[in-house]
Amino acid sequence: MKYCLLFIITLNLFVFYSVKSFSQTDSLPGNTDRKWWKEAIVYQIYPRSFKDNDGDGIGDLKGIISKLDYIKSLGVNVVWLNPIYSSPNDDNGYDVSDYRNIMKDFGTMADFDSLLKGMHERGIKLVMDLVVNHSSDEHDWFKQAKSSRDNPYRNYYHWWNAEDGKPPYRYSLFDVNHDAWKYDSATNAYYLHYFSRKQPDLNWENPKLRQEVYSMMKYWADKGIDGFRLDAFGFAAKDTTWPMFPKGFEKNFSLYYSMQGNLHGYLQEMNKEVFSKYDVMTVAEGTGNTLEDAHNMVDANRHELNMAYPFEGVDIAKPEGYGLLHFKQVFSKWDSTFEDNGWLAVFLANHDQARMVSRFGNDSAPYRALSSEMLTTFIMTMRGTPYYYNGDELGMTNIRFNKIEDYRDVQTLNAYQHEKNVGGNLDSFIKRKAFESRDNGRTPFQWDNTTNAGFTTGAPWIKVNANYTTINEAAEDKDANSVLNYFRKVVQLRKNNLVLVYGKYALLDKENPKAYAYTREGEGEKLLVVLNFSSSNAQTNIGLNITNAKLMLCNYKDVPVINESKTTISLRPYEAVVYKL
C-alpha cells in the first residue's frame, strides 16, 4: 500500500495552498445549476463520541471547538451535527425534550454560539439534525398532552381511546414488543410511537404543531445555521383513519409508513415558511419507496427539499457479504434517475450504521487501509454531495462487542430483550450485532495512543476500540502515507476538479464482479476512476485507450499496470486509481 509517486509530486501542493471556494469557475457541463450545497463535502460529527472537554466521558461542544482546526485540515466545508438539543437520551438525543435548548451533557447555548462562530470563521457551514417525526415523552408538549383528553396539546400527538378497543397494530422499530401503541393509564388511551416508547410521534396533521415546528426552525436559522437534515421525516404523515395493515406488513413496513398522506404538502409548506427565506441546505433521511418518491422530494419545481439521501446503497452490506454487481447496479440506477434534475447524497456510513471499512471493505490488518482508501475514492468521485462519517477518515473499524452489557444503543438492547423473550438464539444475535450494530460506529474518536484514545480523561460513555494504539489521528497526521492524509488528498482532488461534482457519470466494464470502473465527463474534461473491491488481483477492460492518460491518484506506492493494448488495467487488492483522460 501507499501512493503513486506521480500523485505525491503533483498533488501534495494542495496541502499548502488554500482550496478553491464555491465560486470557482472550472469548465462545467452545459446548463449546470451551481449551488454551494452541491459542491459541499459533508463531514458528519457524532458529538457524544467526538471529543470530551470536561472529563465526564461524554463528548461535548467545547470538545468539538477544540478540534475545529483539525476539521478544517480535512478540507471539508460542511459539518452535519447529530442532535444536541435537550434530551433524556433514550435514543442518544433523537428524543428531544426542548428544541430551543442544548443538552447539558453537551454544554450551553453560549458554547453553541462559539462553535457556530468558529466554524464560520474557518469557512465551514453547519447543518443541524431536525428531529420532528417524534419528540421525547419528557417534552412539555407531551406532558401536557397526556394530562387530559381535552388539553390543548392533546392533538400534538396521535392517540387511540381505549374504550374503542385495541388499536390497529403498528410496528415499532425500537419497542421491546415491536408494538407502536403504548397504553397510558392517566387518560385511558394509547399513544403512537414508531420508535421507542419514549419517542411519541408528533401529529403533523395538526396545523398548530406544524407552526410550532416552523417557528423553532426559524429560531435556529436566524442564529445562522446553514441547513437542516430532517430525521425520519418520511414517516411524519399518517393515515389517521388507522386502517388495518395486512399481516406481516412489518417485514416491509416502509411501504406503509413512508411518504403517506400529505407529506409532500407539509414539505412544500415548510419550504414556503422556512427554507425559502434562508440560503440553507435541506435533506431528508430516506427517500420513500420508489425512485419517483425520491425525485418528487427534490424536484426544484416542487419547492420541497434540495437533496435526496437514499438508503438503498448503504443497506447493501450484510453479515454474509455483498456482491459488487449489485452495488454497481444500485449506485448507477440512482445516478441515472437524478442525471437531469434533482440532487443526491453519496455515502457509505453514518451514525445508524456500523463502520464503513468493516461493512464495505476489509478491516483485516493487510487490507484495512487499502480498502478504506478505495471506498473513500468511490465516495469522493461520484456525482452528488459526499457525506463522510467522523472516524472513517482514519479507517476506524467495528469494535465487535461480544456481550450485551457492552452495548448502549436502545435499538440493540431492546431487540436483544425481544429475542430473549421469544426464546431466540442469543449467540447468533450477538454475532450479527458485532457486524451491524449502530454502536460500532459510535465508539469514541481515536485521537492518539494515550488513555481512552485521547477522547476523555474520565470513563468513556461507551468502550474505546482497543486498536486505538495503532489507529489514531496523531499517528496518521504525521504519516504522509496514512489513510487520513489520503482522505485529505482525495478531498482536494474533488474540490479542484468540478467535473467530479457535476460531470456525467458513465459505467464501464459493467459485468466485472471485482472491479468498478466509470468516467466523469463535462465540457472537455474527462476523468477515469477504477476501483478493485476485492482482496485479490483483478483486471478491468475499460474499453478506452489511455495511452496519454495522466495519473491523478492511486493508493499504492508504484503505478498500476496497463496492458499493451492500453485498454485493460491490472489492479492489486483494493487498488484505487484516478486518471485524467
Side-chain angles (χ1 to χ4, degrees):
M1 191 276 289
K2 308 303 176 212
Y3 319 126
C4 301
L5 180 60
L6 180 59
F7 174 73
I8 293 174
I9 293 172
T10 58
L11 292 187
N12 267 351
L13 291 174
F14 291 156
V15 175
F16 303 104
Y17 293 96
S18 60
V19 300
K20 295 181 182 179
S21 71
F22 290 139
S23 62
Q24 65 187 29
T25 56
D26 298 35
S27 60
L28 300 171
N31 301 318
T32 296
D33 179 23
R34 293 191 62 182
K35 300 289 185 182
W36 68 261
W37 41 266
K38 292 181 179 180
E39 296 169 25
I41 297 174
V42 182
Y43 183 69
Q44 182 186 353
I45 292 180
Y46 196 70
R48 193 172 184 83
S49 299
F50 193 64
K51 176 62 177 173
D52 173 26
N53 177 73
D54 59 11
D56 65 355
I58 298 169
D60 47 44
L61 298 183
K62 286 184 177 178
I64 299 172
I65 292 169
S66 73
K67 295 299 182 180
L68 285 179
D69 287 337
Y70 167 75
I71 297 167
K72 179 178 173 61
S73 80
L74 297 175
V76 302
N77 37 40
V78 173
V79 163
W80 158 22
L81 191 62
N82 286 109
I84 55 171
Y85 316 102
S86 296
S87 169
N89 258 327
D90 184 60
D91 186 23
N92 282 7
Y94 281 93
D95 49 317
V96 180
S97 56
D98 186 345
Y99 289 98
R100 297 182 190 229
N101 263 311
I102 303 297
M103 190 190 306
K104 291 181 180 179
D105 287 346
F106 293 151
T108 66
M109 189 61 77
D111 294 334
F112 173 82
D113 292 339
S114 295
L115 174 64
L116 183 61
K117 182 175 182 288
M119 285 185 175
H120 286 172
E121 288 174 346
R122 292 165 175 81
I124 301 168
K125 295 179 182 291
L126 178 61
V127 170
M128 290 183 68
D129 242 307
L130 183 69
V131 189
V132 289
N133 171 73
H134 49 266
S135 75
S136 167
D137 66 345
E138 297 183 33
H139 195 292
D140 283 342
W141 295 343
F142 191 74
K143 290 178 181 178
Q144 291 281 344
K146 70 176 185 177
S147 66
S148 69
R149 290 188 180 184
D150 58 0
N151 187 279
Y153 287 94
R154 183 73 169 183
N155 200 36
Y156 276 38
Y157 298 89
H158 297 284
W159 296 91
W160 180 279
N161 294 331
E163 63 267 22
D164 295 330
K166 195 171 182 180
Y169 175 64
R170 292 294 183 267
Y171 173 76
S172 167
L173 284 77
F174 292 177
D175 187 78
V176 172
N177 299 320
H178 295 308
D179 186 349
W181 290 104
K182 174 72 169 66
Y183 179 69
D184 178 61
S185 59
T187 56
N188 191 34
Y190 300 85
Y191 67 84
L192 185 73
H193 61 95
Y194 278 175
F195 294 91
S196 87
R197 296 177 183 182
K198 290 185 67 63
Q199 295 170 291
D201 281 38
L202 291 165
N203 180 12
W204 272 80
E205 285 63 44
N206 180 357
K208 289 184 179 180
L209 178 278
R210 299 201 300 274
Q211 290 302 317
E212 292 260 25
V213 171
Y214 303 152
S215 175
M216 175 268 292
M217 294 172 70
K218 291 174 186 175
Y219 169 80
W220 290 102
D222 287 339
K223 274 186 166 289
I225 73 165
D226 305 287
F228 297 96
R229 178 259 186 190
L230 279 65
D231 177 70
F233 196 75
F235 295 166
K238 314 288 198 293
D239 181 349
T240 54
T241 65
W242 307 116
M244 290 294 293
F245 291 157
K247 186 176 181 180
F249 82 91
E250 61 271 18
K251 295 176 182 177
N252 199 1
F253 62 87
S254 180
L255 290 175
Y256 300 87
Y257 283 8
S258 186
M259 310 301 291
Q260 302 300 306
N262 192 32
L263 187 76
H264 287 294
Y266 302 151
L267 285 172
Q268 289 162 9
E269 183 181 72
M270 185 184 291
N271 187 299
K272 180 181 178 181
E273 295 274 348
V274 185
F275 300 153
S276 64
K277 302 180 187 300
Y278 305 89
D279 182 20
V280 290
M281 166 180 158
T282 58
V283 57
E285 179 184 30
T287 52
N289 300 308
T290 65
L291 292 170
E292 182 181 10
D293 282 345
H295 212 280
N296 285 343
M297 293 175 76
V298 298
D299 186 328
N301 295 323
R302 293 172 59 89
H303 304 289
E304 296 183 24
L305 303 172
N306 55 34
M307 194 182 306
Y309 190 87
F311 284 142
E312 189 175 4
V314 78
D315 286 343
I316 290 171
K318 304 296 181 185
E320 58 274 16
Y322 70 95
L324 181 60
L325 296 183
H326 180 211
F327 186 96
K328 290 193 281 189
Q329 182 268 328
V330 168
F331 280 95
S332 298
K333 174 184 67 178
W334 280 96
D335 181 88
S336 64
T337 301
F338 288 79
E339 183 174 4
D340 298 318
N341 192 13
W343 198 252
L344 282 174
V346 180
F347 62 100
L348 289 176
N350 58 37
H351 65 289
D352 281 332
Q353 310 292 332
R355 281 289 170 188
M356 177 180 76
V357 71
S358 298
R359 298 181 74 233
F360 287 96
N362 185 331
D363 65 10
S364 66
Y367 300 124
R368 180 192 62 84
L370 280 168
S371 62
S372 178
E373 292 163 354
M374 183 274 294
L375 294 168
T376 295
T377 309
F378 168 74
I379 294 170
M380 295 296 170
T381 58
M382 288 292 284
R383 180 166 49 188
T385 298
Y387 284 64
Y388 209 86
Y389 185 63
N390 62 196
D392 284 345
E393 75 273 23
L394 307 179
M396 283 179 60
T397 69
N398 279 4
I399 193 168
R400 296 186 175 91
F401 290 134
N402 57 20
K403 56 182 181 179
I404 193 63
E405 290 78 13
D406 288 331
Y407 285 98
R408 298 291 179 267
D409 178 25
V410 63
Q411 181 183 35
T412 297
L413 295 174
N414 284 355
Y416 179 88
Q417 187 61 49
H418 175 79
E419 198 76 9
K420 189 175 181 180
N421 291 347
V422 299
N425 187 325
L426 298 180
D427 289 339
S428 294
F429 177 90
I430 291 294
K431 184 177 180 180
R432 187 171 70 254
K433 289 302 174 182
F435 174 83
E436 68 183 17
S437 174
R438 304 191 298 180
D439 276 344
N440 281 299
R442 299 177 178 185
T443 58
F445 193 99
Q446 294 164 207
W447 291 106
D448 55 42
N449 64 0
T450 63
T451 303
N452 295 323
F455 164 69
T456 182
T457 57
W461 73 275
I462 191 171
K463 284 185 176 181
V464 177
N465 196 318
N467 62 18
Y468 76 89
T469 56
T470 55
I471 303 173
N472 63 73
E473 184 272 334
E476 294 195 25
D477 186 60
K478 297 173 184 175
D479 179 2
N481 295 329
S482 67
V483 176
L484 172 60
N485 280 313
Y486 183 89
F487 172 83
R488 287 169 170 151
K489 290 165 184 172
V490 183
V491 166
Q492 298 306 325
L493 180 69
R494 182 180 182 88
K495 292 174 77 171
N496 285 275
N497 291 273
L498 283 185
V499 67
L500 290 175
V501 179
Y502 296 107
K504 179 179 174 62
Y505 160 93
L507 178 64
L508 308 174
D509 201 6
K510 179 180 178 181
E511 301 303 322
N512 192 317
K514 292 183 178 181
Y516 193 166
Y518 50 92
T519 57
R520 301 297 311 284
E521 183 174 8
E523 291 206 350
E525 291 200 323
K526 190 173 187 177
L527 296 186
L528 168 67
V529 182
V530 184
L531 310 168
N532 184 358
F533 270 68
S534 77
S535 60
S536 59
N537 292 332
Q539 280 198 337
T540 179
N541 186 348
I542 57 174
L544 299 172
N545 190 314
I546 56 175
T547 302
N548 298 316
K550 177 183 177 182
L551 184 63
M552 300 292 286
L553 175 71
C554 65
N555 63 342
Y556 273 77
K557 65 181 178 181
D558 46 1
V559 299
V561 177
I562 303 172
N563 75 351
E564 293 181 1
S565 70
K566 304 297 183 181
T567 61
T568 301
I569 301 173
S570 295
L571 298 168
R572 289 155 289 194
Y574 299 110
E575 186 163 16
V577 189
V578 179
Y579 291 98
K580 188 170 185 177
L581 301 179

